[in-house]
Amino acid sequence: LDSRQGEWAMHQDDLDKANRLNHEEAIDRLCEEYPDRREFIRDSYSEILKRVAADATVHTYVPIFISREVKTLLKMKELTRSSLS
């Protein structure tokens, strides 16, 4: 039983690393698309991830959903900025 728990813990570590990598890649893609909004992207992505990650049962698509939400926030921010000008 202990060896299986150890294997599971190692597997979880690998999944955590893969998830972190997937999130970093998603953030990098957003930053490439919106290079002048890097800080906003990182902050927004992190906040959304905190809210979503705890409830997610399947983490595969979480970076896609968060990226969509960040893009929506960026567009809303841009629309607000342009309507004030």
Side-chain angles (χ1 to χ4, degrees), residues 17-72:
K17 287 176 189 173
N19 283 332
R20 277 196 300 274
L21 182 61
N22 288 338
H23 291 299
E24 281 300 319
E25 288 173 350
I27 290 169
D28 289 345
R29 283 191 298 273
L30 287 166
C31 288
E32 286 175 16
E33 194 171 338
Y34 302 92
D36 58 330
R37 310 298 299 157
R38 291 178 186 276
E39 186 175 344
F40 179 83
I41 289 168
R42 288 195 175 280
D43 292 346
S44 298
Y45 195 100
S46 295
E47 286 300 314
I48 297 166
L49 179 58
K50 285 178 198 171
R51 188 181 74 225
V52 171
D55 295 331
T57 54
V58 177
H59 292 269
T60 305
Y61 302 107
V62 171
I64 295 168
F65 297 133
I66 295 175
S67 294
R68 286 181 184 168
E69 193 166 338
V70 170
K71 283 183 179 185
T72 299

Side-chain angles (χ1 to χ4, degrees), residues 1-12:
L1 184 69
D2 286 336
S3 66
R4 275 192 251 150
Q5 285 177 336
E7 288 174 20
W8 175 250
M10 287 176 19
H11 180 68
Q12 277 301 115

